[in-house]
Amino acid sequence: MRWWRRRWVWWTAGIVLALVVLLLWPTTAVAIYYTASNARSARQTAEAALRPVDHNEAVQRRTHELTEQGQVTDRFTAAVARLGETSPAVRLGGVHALAGIADDAPAMRQTCINVLCAYLRLPYTPDPGSLDNDQQTAMTTEEREAHERRRAEFRGRCEVRYTIIRLIGNHLRLPVGDPRSWQGHDFDFTGVIFDGGDLHGACFTAGTISFARATFTDGFDFRSASFLWWPGRLRRRDVLRRPG
């Protein structure tokens, strides 16, 4: 009878367990359902809360980019306006401002280079020279003063032009990997008179380079300048033969 009693105990326990499961199952199922539903609602709420944040961040980034672009445009406009001033000091400020923009904003670099090269291509009045005693005696005071003004204007133009050439040379001597290097860009020196400044060691890579009808004086420093599309080191007479 012991085995029967033991079997009866197991049956009783099984029946009790089944009754407990039947009684508790609806409550458990409801709890599981509401737990999953709450978790889903919480996730949806969090996602909905993050969407405006992401949108706001995107708007802020775009606003910041537009602000920076506007600032660069304003700087560029002001720098170009300075190049048209009569004062050499103001024009020099415009030249350095354009070089600074080219360094800070690579997207504007070629445009700044184009403006600087265009300034070099402007008509260039030769040096009126100094007056000897006979010439000074033959001139009136007004004529002598006008002559001195022309000489001062010429020296001012020279200083601006030589500064542009030096800045171009400085940036072309920087290696390609340097973020401020101007290698690989276009340079149009058509008809430019190179009577001062410094392009020694400048390296022209890729881009379109034109020295058509350019004039070089004996004092111009073009030592060791090179073009990667030209075999070997470039000599000055090779530059002068470079097709436009």
Side-chain angles (χ1 to χ4, degrees):
M1 294 296 291
R2 290 181 179 178
W3 66 270
W4 175 254
R5 291 177 181 175
R6 193 179 301 114
R7 190 173 183 181
W8 173 256
V9 170
W10 284 109
W11 283 359
T12 303
I15 293 171
V16 172
L17 181 61
L19 291 174
V20 170
V21 170
L22 289 174
L23 290 174
L24 295 180
W25 171 249
T27 304
T28 304
V30 170
I32 293 174
Y33 170 78
Y34 278 109
T35 300
S37 178
N38 291 338
R40 184 168 57 254
S41 298
R43 186 175 63 254
Q44 292 174 350
T45 302
E47 291 175 352
L50 288 175
R51 276 195 293 270
V53 174
D54 294 340
H55 176 71
N56 291 337
E57 289 180 352
V59 171
Q60 290 175 358
R61 283 196 301 270
R62 181 57 179 165
T63 302
H64 180 69
E65 292 173 357
L66 292 175
T67 301
E68 285 188 339
Q69 292 175 4
Q71 291 174 348
V72 171
T73 301
D74 292 342
R75 289 172 58 191
F76 177 80
T77 303
V80 172
R82 290 182 182 181
L83 291 180
E85 296 290 338
T86 56
S87 170
V90 176
R91 279 179 279 166
L92 280 173
V95 168
H96 285 287
L98 283 173
I101 295 170
D103 291 341
D104 297 338
M108 291 287 293
R109 183 166 297 165
Q110 184 62 63
T111 302
C112 294
I113 292 173
N114 292 344
V115 174
L116 294 175
C117 289
Y119 188 92
L120 294 176
R121 295 195 305 270
L122 291 175
Y124 191 41
T125 305
D127 184 0
S130 58
L131 299 174
D132 57 30
N133 292 333
D134 293 338
Q135 289 174 323
Q136 292 185 21
T137 302
M139 285 182 172
T140 64
T141 302
E142 290 78 9
E143 290 174 336
R144 287 194 297 271
E145 291 176 351
H147 180 82
E148 289 303 319
R149 283 196 299 271
R150 288 195 296 272
R151 290 210 70 189
E153 291 172 359
F154 173 79
R155 288 192 293 268
R157 285 195 301 271
C158 286
E159 184 59 32
V160 176
R161 290 168 51 82
Y162 298 167
T163 299
I164 292 175
I165 295 171
R166 282 194 296 268
L167 285 172
I168 291 175
N170 291 340
H171 285 85
L172 287 176
R173 282 188 288 272
L174 296 173
V176 176
D178 192 298
R180 297 178 297 115
S181 175
W182 291 2
Q183 292 189 35
H185 290 276
D186 301 338
F187 292 88
D188 186 359
F189 298 125
T190 302
V192 173
I193 299 174
F194 290 93
D195 57 349
D198 181 8
L199 284 180
H200 85 274
C203 185
F204 295 88
T205 60
T208 300
I209 316 298
S210 175
F211 283 93
R213 300 186 303 280
T215 302
F216 295 83
T217 63
D218 291 335
F220 184 73
D221 191 354
F222 212 168
R223 295 170 298 165
S224 302
S226 61
F227 291 71
L228 292 190
W229 41 257
W230 203 285
R233 283 291 180 180
L234 195 69
R235 295 164 296 182
R236 192 168 68 181
R237 62 176 180 271
D238 294 327
V239 177
L240 295 177
R241 289 204 303 265
R242 173 76 173 105

